[in-house]
Amino acid sequence: MQDRNHSRSTRQPPQPFWLQLRAITFYPLRGPALYSLIALTLCTLLGMLPMIGWIIGLIVWVAVYRYAFEILRETAHGRMTSPEHTLGSSDGTVIRLLALMILMGIFVVLVAGFLGPVIGLLSLAAVVFLQPGCVISLAMDGSLRAAANPATPITLAARIGWPYLAAFALLFVIQASALTAGTWLHKLMPPVIGELTLTFFSIWGLFTTFHLLGYLVYQYHAELGFEPEGAPEALSRHAPDQQLLDEAEHFVREGHPEAAMEALRGAVRTRAVSLPVHELYQRLLLRSGSTGAVREHSRQYLNRLLMEKQERQAMNLLREVLERDPDFTPAEPEQAALLAERARLGGQFQLQLDALQAMLRAWPRSPDAPQWALQAALLLGERYSRDSEALQLLDLALQRCEDGEQQRKLEAARRALQPDRV
């Protein structure tokens, strides 16, 4: 036992990224990353189809960024083999990544439009410099609000120090080299082959960039307050979080919960904190009775729990919040649907019903809303004998549903719940 503990405590830290440049550069050419690179490159040919080509092209590039983000996550957790599945990131974080990029573009355009091209160029340079930190923040805690806050990447850069500047320069070199190589070969090859070559190098550069960002997180996880999965036990309660927890718990024991909340709030909003910090902060917020703060943090906490595959704990948190705030939903419909389904599989039908009803109030126009209404109505009628509420739910869903097959299911459920007429 002593030898095992000793081996844990003496686990070697990752090598600096500047000593791994060759491995990082050729990362997309190994294992599943290579297969994904080739498949996604070939799929871009579908963008040439008439009428629907641009839609397919958009879907393909969303898949490219989704896989790139999975590369970042896997690397950040110390797993240097590329992920197996190109569509593994289903918690909505990739959508938030695309939204973040759009927000950055809008910001630069607005600055250039109102303040002139010179200031616009300076804002573009600032956005490009802060972008790696924004992506890292989004990968660690999944919060778009935190990632879009300029203070967040600045804080991350300050924690990492000069290596952030070196990594930024390397990212620029990688992207420029991939684009230059792709453009040069594009001119020497036939049109279709040239387009594929340019796309191949563009995706290669993107995968390499996200792998480097993930390695940066893994190398500096202690400074960033991030816990890699499978890290030694000594890393699970590393110094920044342990000190923060001790300070907050001291305030609570002394009868100053507001001071504890203030200390935790600053950490939660500026960096990725461990689950124990989220748990303590959540308990203090619930005691304070601040509905808005509870709702905001619960969404962030739920997202982190789902990222860490802690679905049981996420369902417990969802139940606790719904009891106080019946309209609460996670940040994304996909997360809410996942937890509702897990509640059904676990026989927690009241939690499933509460979650479905909150989802219908939050996203009444969602394409999946008729299916949510059907599930909620069947629970109301068959399990809780609340036929009138179930019928109202079905009537409202029928008014909004445009899918013929789904309409037939809703009507069949409505007939089954209607009282017999003499």
Side-chain angles (χ1 to χ4, degrees):
M1 181 65 71
Q2 290 179 348
D3 291 341
R4 184 181 302 173
N5 292 337
H6 177 73
S7 65
R8 277 185 174 181
S9 62
T10 58
R11 176 175 173 172
Q12 295 296 318
Q15 285 189 318
F17 67 86
W18 53 85
L19 299 180
Q20 295 290 316
L21 296 184
R22 179 181 176 84
I24 290 173
T25 302
F26 291 101
Y27 173 89
L29 299 183
R30 299 192 300 269
L34 175 59
Y35 309 140
S36 299
L37 175 58
I38 295 173
L40 290 168
T41 300
L42 294 176
C43 283
T44 59
L45 289 174
L46 299 176
M48 300 179 181
L49 294 175
M51 303 294 291
I52 62 171
W54 69 273
I55 299 177
I56 298 177
L58 181 62
I59 294 173
V60 171
W61 277 102
V62 169
V64 169
Y65 275 92
R66 179 170 289 179
Y67 188 76
F69 208 82
E70 281 298 297
I71 288 175
L72 194 161
R73 282 179 168 173
E74 289 292 296
T75 309
H77 287 293
R79 295 187 284 266
M80 298 303 155
T81 56
S82 52
E84 292 284 346
H85 306 292
T86 59
L87 301 180
S89 181
S90 59
D91 59 4
T93 309
V94 176
I95 301 301
R96 292 192 284 276
L97 171 64
L98 297 176
L100 176 65
M101 297 170 65
I102 292 172
L103 287 175
M104 289 179 171
I106 293 174
F107 171 76
V108 173
V109 170
L110 290 177
V111 170
F114 285 100
L115 301 178
V118 176
I119 304 299
L121 187 61
L122 292 176
S123 68
L124 175 61
V127 165
V128 171
F129 176 74
L130 295 177
Q131 187 179 35
C134 295
V135 175
I136 287 174
S137 171
L138 191 63
M140 290 193 300
D141 61 18
S143 172
L144 176 59
R145 178 178 298 182
N149 183 354
T152 302
I154 292 173
T155 301
L156 293 178
R159 289 180 178 275
I160 294 175
W162 69 264
Y164 182 90
L165 299 175
F168 172 77
L170 183 57
L171 291 172
F172 180 80
V173 171
I174 290 172
Q175 293 283 1
S177 300
L179 182 61
T180 301
T183 304
W184 181 71
L185 291 173
H186 176 263
K187 295 178 180 179
L188 299 178
M189 295 183 174
V192 175
I193 302 300
E195 290 293 335
L196 286 176
T197 303
L198 179 60
T199 302
F200 180 88
F201 276 95
S202 299
I203 299 176
W204 181 351
L206 188 67
F207 286 1
T208 304
T209 296
F210 276 67
H211 178 53
L212 174 58
L213 289 176
Y215 198 95
L216 195 67
V217 174
Y218 182 57
Q219 182 179 342
Y220 295 98
H221 60 265
E223 290 81 357
L224 297 175
F226 180 74
E227 296 181 32
E229 292 177 2
E233 193 171 70
L235 293 179
S236 65
R237 291 178 68 84
H238 46 76
D241 276 7
Q242 186 57 57
Q243 183 178 357
L244 176 63
L245 285 168
D246 291 342
E247 179 185 4
E249 290 167 355
H250 172 74
F251 283 133
V252 172
R253 287 193 300 269
E254 294 296 320
H256 302 292
E258 296 82 5
M261 288 174 57
E262 189 63 31
L264 295 171
R265 184 183 297 114
V268 169
R269 290 182 176 179
T270 58
R271 65 182 177 88
V273 296
S274 61
L275 291 179
V277 173
H278 279 295
E279 182 181 1
L280 177 57
Y281 186 47
Q282 182 75 9
R283 290 204 311 268
L284 293 173
L285 286 175
L286 290 172
R287 291 180 191 174
S288 71
S290 176
T291 303
V294 169
R295 178 176 292 192
E296 178 183 354
H297 178 254
S298 296
R299 285 173 175 161
Q300 184 178 358
Y301 188 14
L302 271 175
N303 185 74
R304 181 65 186 272
L305 287 170
L306 292 175
M307 289 175 62
E308 300 291 340
K309 311 300 183 184
Q310 301 293 325
E311 293 179 357
R312 184 180 298 275
Q313 191 174 346
M315 286 194 296
N316 292 337
L317 173 62
L318 180 63
R319 182 191 303 104
E320 188 175 32
V321 179
L322 281 172
E323 288 175 355
R324 294 169 169 81
D325 182 6
D327 291 329
F328 172 80
T329 57
E332 300 291 336
E334 295 83 2
Q335 296 173 334
L338 172 64
L339 291 174
E341 177 63 15
R342 292 294 184 269
R344 183 189 70 83
L345 295 174
Q348 302 181 46
F349 300 111
Q350 186 60 56
L351 175 59
Q352 181 194 7
L353 177 59
D354 293 342
L356 289 170
Q357 290 178 318
M359 291 157 61
L360 287 168
R361 289 190 290 268
W363 303 294
R365 299 295 180 182
S366 170
D368 296 323
Q371 180 62 28
W372 301 340
L374 179 61
Q375 295 175 1
L378 292 177
L379 280 172
L380 285 168
E382 297 177 357
R383 181 163 292 275
Y384 298 106
S385 301
R386 293 154 60 182
D387 293 356
S388 60
E389 294 180 48
L391 289 171
Q392 291 176 5
L393 207 58
L394 291 172
D395 288 340
L396 186 59
L398 280 167
Q399 294 174 13
R400 296 171 174 170
C401 182
E402 299 179 355
D403 181 77
E405 180 63 26
Q406 192 65 53
Q407 286 179 343
R408 285 190 289 272
K409 293 180 181 179
L410 292 169
E411 290 169 350
R414 196 183 190 288
R415 288 193 298 269
L417 291 171
Q418 280 181 322
D420 295 333
R421 296 180 180 178
V422 180

